[in-house]
Structure formats: structure tokens, C-alpha cells
Amino acid sequence: MALNTSADAPLPVGEVSRLIGGWIDRLGAVWVEGQITQLSRRPGAGVVFMTLRDPSYDISVSVTCYRQVFDAVADVVSEGARVVIHAKPEWYAPRGQLSLRAAEIKPVGVGELLARLEQLKKALASEGLFAPERKKALPFLPQLIGLVCGRASAAERDVLENARHRWPAVRFEVRNVAVQGVHAVPQVIQAVKELDALDDVDVIIVARGGGSVEDLLPFSDEQLVRAVVSCRTPVVSAIGHEPDNPLLDYAADLRASTPTDAAKKVVPDVGEEYERVRFLQDRARRSVLSFIEREERGLAHALARPSIEDPHRMIDEREDQVSALLDRARRCLGHLLDRADSELSHTHARVVGLSPAATLRRGYAVLQKADGHVVRAPDEVTAEEPLRARVAEGEFTVRVDA
């Protein structure tokens, strides 16, 4: 319930602590799952002190229990183990400290862990986080590779050495993190986000050597899976593991079986690329030479044609035909002209023979009146009428005698 306090009427620290303790005492017992990070079993002490941590959110809480409660699981529970405890929240007023008083502790077995991981896998898969169409393609030749791995680990050495052996010019941006334990998940997530924020990083490799199912649990964490899915940079999972794959393998854009395999899949081999380039050069050279040879054969075939080899041959062959046709045309035209000339001569002779002038030359005359009318009968003229007589050599006037 709300308290009526002010700067003039504050509550003492002890009263505040007492009130908080009263609120917490009203809370019931809860089942809590976490990972034991600190375990203190002092000889002769009746109470065991532990720290229970949530690896996904980097949150921890103190846990106390009576020795007989812990002794029931002491053979199978140690630091780093995952447990489920039944505990009631307690408030230690003198120090203002919250803790859990455990009444029962149950270790989480491998089979149970695998069953939970399978349920989480199905849930994430139903959201489409593992869908193949979501995965991004890796660049052919990354210039800068982000590497998330343990400090001075064999995984780091395998990736760096194999990648530089394959392509000596490749560069790395390395983030050393915890790859197991309670700090692994937040550190790996932070490292992935840092590398994803760098524009120069072309691909991110998350690498770790082999280990047990418990050791690899951080790489099946839901928060890590979602962080990898949200990356804009392609992510490669290179966790050397047992047949049970961590969920990071399904969320990553590419899965490599080992860190060495990751280096081979991410970085091309300079020798292989040189051979590929040389092969392509030879193939291109053969293609060009084949094209040139084909065109040369086509050109030689074209030049071998009679029309190209002896271009004047057709003209020479047609020259005699043209000459013969020309002579024939000339003869035909000559015959036509000769016949026309003969016909013209005959027509001229007939015309001359039938012309009035020829008649006049034979001694005939034409009498015409003054108006030019030709006299054809005696009754057409009168006595003393002057007429004009036209003869071959000219004309003269005559008068009609009565």
C-alpha cells in the first residue's frame, strides 16, 4: 500500500527495509531454473550459499539452503550445473538483500535439456526463423571477416590459419568472448551485434570447438538465436559439436561442421581460384581461336567460289553473247531500214507519177478562173472571160473566144 512520506517526514532506512521484507514475506514459493555460478559449502556450516544465474539475461540471485537439502544432490550438482529449485523469496533486512531459501533442488538432466531444446526449436521454427528463404548468401570474397570465439582458443587459431592460408590478404575483426558458462550468451550476443554494426564486416563467424551438450547450451539460447536472425550481415555457425546441433546452426545463414570447415566455406582458395581463372582463360582462348578458324574457313569457302575467284569470268562469258545479240540487232535494224527505204522509194515513185506536176510535164494545162476555180466543163466559162492557164513551166492568161 502507498505510504505518506515527504521531505519533512521521511521514513527511516530500517522502516523501509522492514516494509519491503513484509511485502516479500507475503510472496509464495516458486520453482526457479538457472545455472549455479558460485557454490560455497563451508565445513561445519549448516547452510549452503549459491548464486543462481540466468545466462540469457545476465541476471543472478543469491540462494541459500540447509545442508541436508544440498547433500541430497551434492553428487550431481556443482558450479556450472543447471538446476531447478523450489524456493521462497526472503529479505535480509540488515543488509537490504534479497535471496531465495531453497527447499528442494533438482538437477536438469541431459535428456530434459534436449527435450526443452526440441520444444524451443519447434517454436522458433514455427515463427519462420529457420526458413531457408530467410538466409542470406555469403559474399564470394569477403574483405573483412568478423570472428566471435574464445580467447586464444583452438577455434580461433583454426579459422585464422586456414583462412589466411587459403587467401593471404583476408582481414579479421576478432571478438574474444566466453564460449561456455553463464557469461557466454550475453558476451556472444554483444559481440555479434558489434560486428554487425560495422559496415566493413562482410560476414560473421561464430566459432567454438567441440564439447558436451551442457557446454554448448549457450549456442542454443533463444536470445542469441533472435540476435543472429536480426543481423543484416551473413552469419556462419562453426560449432564443433556432437550429433545434436545447437539452435545457432539452424538460425545462421550457413552451417559449418568445424571452425576449419568455416574457413574453407567463407574464404576461397587462392590456388583454386588461380586454376579457375587459368581454365577460363584457356576456355576463352579456345573459343576465340575456334571462332577465328570457323570464320577463316567460311572466308576461304567464299573466296573459292567462281564469282569471287575469277570475277571477270562471267563478264567474259557474257561478252560473246552480247556481241552476237548486238550483231543480230544491227542486222535486223539494217534489214528494217533497207525494206523501209525500198518501200519509201516505191511510194515516192507512185506519188511522183500520179502528181499534177507530172501530168503538166506531159503537155497538159490547168485552166482556172479568176477566183481560182478549176474549169472542168465548157459551160463553166463565158465569152471573153479571162482565164489563167497553168503549165509545167509556169502560167499565163488566156481569153475565151466566143
Side-chain angles (χ1 to χ4, degrees), residues 217-231:
L217 283 179
F219 299 98
S220 293
D221 186 83
E222 180 179 357
Q223 301 303 317
L224 176 58
V225 169
R226 295 187 182 278
V228 169
V229 170
S230 63
C231 286

Side-chain angles (χ1 to χ4, degrees), residues 53-365:
R53 190 181 188 90
D54 187 337
S56 299
Y57 295 96
D58 196 16
I59 297 176
S60 59
V61 64
S62 297
V63 179
T64 61
C65 67
Y66 291 111
R67 175 176 288 276
Q68 56 267 29
V69 173
F70 185 81
D71 287 345
V73 294
D75 295 338
V76 293
V77 171
S78 60
E79 288 189 5
R82 283 181 175 261
V83 295
V84 176
I85 66 172
H86 189 237
K88 187 179 185 305
E90 289 185 345
W91 180 257
Y92 186 62
R95 294 184 181 178
Q97 182 178 359
L98 175 68
S99 64
L100 297 176
R101 171 71 68 172
E104 185 179 358
I105 301 176
K106 292 184 176 182
V108 178
V110 174
E112 187 175 356
L113 286 175
L114 293 178
R116 293 183 183 181
L117 290 180
E118 187 63 25
Q119 293 178 353
L120 179 59
K121 175 183 175 182
K122 292 180 179 179
L124 297 177
S126 65
E127 297 182 27
L129 302 186
F130 304 154
E133 58 270 15
R134 184 201 58 79
K135 298 182 183 298
K136 298 175 284 294
L138 270 63
F140 166 70
L141 180 60
Q143 301 298 316
L144 181 62
I145 299 175
L147 177 60
V148 180
C149 59
R151 184 180 303 277
S153 61
E156 178 181 6
R157 183 179 64 255
D158 291 343
V159 172
L160 296 180
E161 290 182 356
N162 284 279
R164 287 168 178 163
H165 176 73
R166 293 173 63 83
W167 198 275
V170 69
R171 296 180 295 117
F172 280 90
E173 185 72 23
V174 181
R175 293 290 186 273
N176 294 122
V177 298
V179 291
Q180 69 182 58
V182 295
H183 301 289
V185 173
Q187 290 186 13
V188 173
I189 292 176
Q190 181 180 359
V192 169
K193 291 182 176 179
E194 288 179 1
L195 294 174
D196 185 53
L198 299 178
D199 295 333
D200 295 338
V201 174
D202 298 317
V203 63
I204 300 173
I205 300 177
V206 181
R208 188 200 190 284
S212 63
V213 175
E214 293 86 346
D215 292 339
L216 300 178
L217 283 179
F219 299 98
S220 293
D221 186 83
E222 180 179 357
Q223 301 303 317
L224 176 58
V225 169
R226 295 187 182 278
V228 169
V229 170
S230 63
C231 286
R232 61 177 181 82
T233 308
V235 178
V236 177
S237 173
I239 311 300
H241 47 73
E242 300 298 328
D244 298 318
N245 298 358
L247 299 185
L248 179 62
D249 284 353
Y250 302 99
D253 299 291
L254 179 68
R255 174 190 172 274
S257 58
T258 61
T260 300
D261 184 48
K264 293 180 179 180
K265 289 183 176 180
V266 172
V267 181
D269 184 81
V270 63
E272 294 178 358
E273 296 306 316
Y274 173 77
E275 290 298 324
R276 184 177 289 107
V277 170
R278 190 176 62 83
F279 170 76
L280 293 176
Q281 287 178 339
D282 294 341
R283 181 179 177 182
R285 186 179 296 108
R286 290 194 302 269
S287 298
V288 172
L289 292 177
S290 175
F291 174 78
I292 294 175
E293 291 175 356
R294 184 172 62 252
E295 294 302 313
E296 287 180 344
R297 288 194 300 269
L299 180 60
H301 179 71
L303 292 177
R305 294 179 179 178
S307 58
I308 301 299
E309 187 177 15
D310 187 6
H312 297 284
R313 179 179 178 180
M314 295 179 64
I315 299 176
D316 295 340
E317 291 177 352
R318 298 295 181 180
E319 182 179 7
D320 296 337
Q321 297 179 8
V322 171
S323 299
L325 293 175
L326 182 59
D327 293 341
R328 180 180 177 183
R330 286 174 177 172
R331 289 193 302 269
C332 291
L333 182 59
H335 294 327
L336 292 175
L337 292 177
D338 292 342
R339 185 169 60 187
D341 182 66
S342 176
E343 291 178 354
L344 181 61
S345 298
H346 294 159
T347 303
H348 180 267
R350 288 196 302 270
V351 170
V352 171
L354 298 175
S355 66
T359 302
L360 293 178
R361 280 196 296 271
R362 290 197 298 269
Y364 293 92

